[in-house]
Amino acid sequence: MASSLFPHLPADEAARLRSLRAVELLPALTEPVFNEFVALTARIFNLPISLISVVEETEVYYPANVGMPGNKQQPRVEALCATAIAKAQAVVYHDLVLEKHPEVPQAALRAAETNGLRFYAGALLRLPDQRPLGTLCVIDREPRTFTPDEQRILEILAALVSRTVAVRHLCRLHPETGDAQWARLSAELEEEVQALNALVRYLTARHGTLVPVPAAFLTQVESRLRDLQALLEAYHPGTP
């Protein structure tokens, strides 16, 4: 990897890439349950774009995508998602045009400008060994505020996606029982996320599309997200 292109890399980048490739992420993340998660994320924040990104050595892939059809990958140096990996933490850019972001490569700022993007918030997705794989992000073509409460909800959603990736991986380690278990669980998760989408539609109709998202709205969403979290945490692939 050319250090001139990627001057800020995690100290464990080589180990991160090995872990990334061991989990066979890209086929996993194209499964319907992950598109349900990004659709839910976009709806919660009333934003037009939500993506799951996988940050590889020189490219960033978008296997689950709402709002940017045809955007399947781009060079890592042009991807805002790569800054979260470099910083090893969630990132929020309220206005990519007017604010100064020295940690963001100029190529990424130019790509954002070309695509008409102004707002970006990304929470880290993690591999089963807790190394970062990419982000769950939300994007707008207008500047936007993003409160600490909103960021907390985005990070809860990212943790749910990460746990779903981990459970799927564990299922694949026990093919004699795991394949059937994953089929059942992924179908159940899809139904649960779709039901949560319906709740968000109802809450949006009730509260309106306010920015930032009202605290009462987020509190009700968080309660349902915790139920999803409990479902995933209770699941132990390989057991009868």
Side-chain angles (χ1 to χ4, degrees):
M1 182 184 299
S3 59
S4 60
L5 286 178
F6 306 104
H8 306 295
L9 290 174
D12 65 344
E13 177 69 358
R16 187 189 75 83
L17 290 171
R18 285 195 297 271
S19 295
L20 191 67
R21 292 159 188 173
V23 181
E24 298 180 340
L25 274 171
L26 291 176
L29 290 169
T30 59
E31 294 185 13
V33 65
F34 295 104
N35 258 325
E36 293 290 345
F37 271 119
V38 295
L40 173 64
T41 302
R43 190 178 298 279
I44 287 172
F45 299 108
N46 297 313
L47 286 169
I49 301 166
S50 180
L51 309 169
I52 286 174
S53 71
V54 176
V55 180
E56 253 285 3
E57 185 173 9
T58 61
E59 297 288 313
V60 174
Y61 298 89
Y62 303 105
N65 178 335
V66 167
M68 291 190 78
N71 183 37
K72 296 183 178 180
Q73 71 184 85
Q74 70 182 135
R76 181 172 177 172
V77 73
E78 295 180 1
L80 294 167
C81 297
T83 63
I85 300 296
K87 292 167 68 69
Q89 65 183 43
V91 295
V92 178
Y93 303 124
H94 299 97
D95 191 336
L96 288 159
V97 172
L98 297 183
E99 296 175 342
K100 301 297 182 184
H101 303 291
E103 77 280 13
V104 181
Q106 286 300 309
L109 292 173
R110 287 194 297 271
E113 182 179 5
T114 297
N115 289 306
L117 309 181
R118 296 286 295 272
F119 166 82
Y120 174 94
L124 285 178
L125 298 175
R126 295 189 180 275
L127 293 156
D129 64 5
Q130 295 307 299
R131 290 189 170 93
L133 70 90
T135 68
L136 174 66
C137 65
V138 284
I139 300 171
D140 201 354
R141 292 187 169 86
E142 300 293 336
R144 190 191 194 279
T145 59
F146 204 66
T147 66
D149 284 345
E150 289 176 303
Q151 184 168 339
R152 187 183 73 256
I153 296 300
L154 181 61
E155 291 183 0
I156 292 171
L157 286 159
L160 287 170
V161 173
S162 299
R163 178 59 184 168
T164 304
V165 168
V167 169
R168 183 190 183 279
H169 178 62
L170 288 171
C171 284
R172 291 181 63 84
L173 297 179
H174 303 276
E176 65 284 356
T177 57
D179 289 348
Q181 286 181 316
W182 171 247
R184 289 195 299 271
L185 178 62
S186 61
E188 185 175 357
L189 284 172
E190 279 187 65
E191 289 181 4
E192 290 292 332
V193 177
Q194 287 168 359
L196 188 46
N197 250 313
L199 172 65
V200 172
R201 284 195 296 271
Y202 165 76
L203 292 173
T204 300
R206 180 178 177 183
H207 293 280
T209 54
L210 300 177
V211 176
V213 179
F217 181 115
L218 293 175
T219 296
Q220 292 184 69
V221 169
E222 182 172 358
S223 176
R224 290 293 299 274
L225 291 176
R226 297 297 182 188
D227 292 342
L228 270 178
Q229 187 176 43
L231 172 66
L232 282 162
E233 291 298 332
Y235 201 77
H236 300 287
T239 59

